[in-house]
Amino acid sequence: MCYGSQRLPPSGDEVTPPTVRSRPPTDVNTAVVESLRLRLAETEVRLQQARAREAELSKKLREMKRFVSVMEILESYLKRRFMDQQHQLALLITQSPVSK
């Protein structure tokens, strides 16, 4: 039967609007929410662990940079000492009488 531009659906299945039919029951919603909360909690734990690891690595990096700086200072000091000693040795050699 037709009433104007509307037709009646042939079966009772199509009487229910699609939005009502596709909405899950409350138990499913609760399960989904709990699942999402659990995943969120796990993600927050992993994020906290990652931040702790990042802090640990940052500390190690700062220590390594400090160590490298100290090594560079020692290297320049030792080079300078070596050059000074070479210069002093050269002076001693040139000032010493040549013995034959």
Side-chain angles (χ1 to χ4, degrees), residues 22-37:
S22 65
R23 187 170 28 158
T26 305
D27 290 342
V28 174
N29 283 341
T30 303
V32 168
V33 168
E34 286 303 314
S35 172
L36 290 174
R37 283 184 181 151

Side-chain angles (χ1 to χ4, degrees), residues 67-96:
F67 176 78
V68 167
S69 294
V70 169
M71 290 297 115
E72 288 172 343
I73 291 168
L74 283 172
E75 179 186 29
S76 64
Y77 169 76
L78 291 173
K79 280 182 180 179
R80 195 168 51 250
R81 283 280 313 249
F82 178 73
M83 291 172 75
D84 288 345
Q85 288 179 354
Q86 274 187 324
H87 180 69
Q88 287 177 357
L89 183 61
L91 286 176
L92 286 174
I93 291 175
T94 57
Q95 291 176 355
S96 68

